[in-house]
Amino acid sequence: MEVNQFTPATAERGTLTARIQDFLGTLANRKPETRRTYELALREFMRWYDQESSFCFSGDDVLRYREHLRFRKNMRVSSVATYLNGFRQFCEYLFQQGIIQYNPVRDVVSYRRPAVHDQEVLSSEEVKRLLAAVDTSEKRGLRDLLI
């Protein structure tokens, strides 16, 4: 995998934070949920980045980050895939801007998302609380209760 060459100023936290804000600013036409997801993913990356003085946007560094999410943060594989996607989009932005010469996340295989989303059955207590939360004083609430 190709290694990106950074000047010291590019790798400084303040500069990287500013680049993240620039990237998030380009997401104005995206759904608010997408922007929030990317923001959350990049915030988590910055927490890890602050602890990793040797990070230089290489494929090996991204692999270390992926393993950190999975095994140190105990994230599910679907969460790791989501966080890596946010970071991948950010690195693609940096590449398009000419800030890095290569997007190191392109070649990093994320964990496969499960074919079926985790589904847990509500407990009887949760069902009772859910039904009790419906406002039956209006027709809409009665309809919702029936549904």
Side-chain angles (χ1 to χ4, degrees), residues 68-107:
H68 164 78
L69 292 174
R70 180 70 178 109
F71 299 109
R72 293 247 170 112
K73 297 293 286 186
N74 294 318
M75 288 187 178
R76 294 179 183 205
V77 293
S78 57
S79 296
V80 172
T82 299
Y83 277 61
L84 279 183
N85 184 53
F87 186 58
R88 179 180 292 110
Q89 297 303 317
F90 172 62
C91 287
E92 189 61 29
Y93 167 79
L94 294 176
F95 173 69
Q96 295 295 326
Q97 297 296 309
I99 298 166
I100 58 176
Q101 294 80 38
Y102 175 76
N103 180 346
V105 193
R106 272 189 198 163
D107 297 330

Side-chain angles (χ1 to χ4, degrees), residues 44-143:
E44 181 59 42
F45 168 73
M46 287 305 295
R47 277 195 284 276
W48 181 76
Y49 179 82
D50 286 341
Q51 301 169 9
E52 294 294 319
S53 60
S54 64
F55 188 86
C56 65
F57 286 79
S58 71
D60 290 339
D61 290 336
V62 175
L63 287 172
R64 284 189 306 120
Y65 178 55
R66 181 188 73 178
E67 298 306 299
H68 164 78
L69 292 174
R70 180 70 178 109
F71 299 109
R72 293 247 170 112
K73 297 293 286 186
N74 294 318
M75 288 187 178
R76 294 179 183 205
V77 293
S78 57
S79 296
V80 172
T82 299
Y83 277 61
L84 279 183
N85 184 53
F87 186 58
R88 179 180 292 110
Q89 297 303 317
F90 172 62
C91 287
E92 189 61 29
Y93 167 79
L94 294 176
F95 173 69
Q96 295 295 326
Q97 297 296 309
I99 298 166
I100 58 176
Q101 294 80 38
Y102 175 76
N103 180 346
V105 193
R106 272 189 198 163
D107 297 330
V108 173
V109 176
S110 185
Y111 294 106
R112 294 185 66 89
R113 293 175 191 225
V116 178
H117 190 68
D118 292 342
Q119 298 175 354
E120 295 182 22
V121 177
L122 295 176
S123 69
S124 58
E125 188 58 39
E126 290 170 322
V127 171
K128 288 177 189 175
R129 284 195 317 238
L130 179 63
L131 293 174
V134 177
D135 179 11
T136 57
S137 65
E138 297 179 11
K139 287 183 181 180
R140 185 176 187 176
L142 290 171
R143 182 208 60 190

Side-chain angles (χ1 to χ4, degrees), residues 14-64:
T15 303
L16 191 54
T17 300
R19 301 283 189 210
I20 288 172
Q21 291 307 311
D22 293 344
F23 165 67
L24 294 173
T26 67
L27 302 176
N29 296 337
R30 303 292 290 271
K31 292 180 181 177
E33 295 82 13
T34 301
R35 180 181 159 82
R36 279 194 299 272
T37 299
Y38 287 177
E39 192 171 6
L40 179 68
L42 293 171
R43 195 175 314 131
E44 181 59 42
F45 168 73
M46 287 305 295
R47 277 195 284 276
W48 181 76
Y49 179 82
D50 286 341
Q51 301 169 9
E52 294 294 319
S53 60
S54 64
F55 188 86
C56 65
F57 286 79
S58 71
D60 290 339
D61 290 336
V62 175
L63 287 172
R64 284 189 306 120

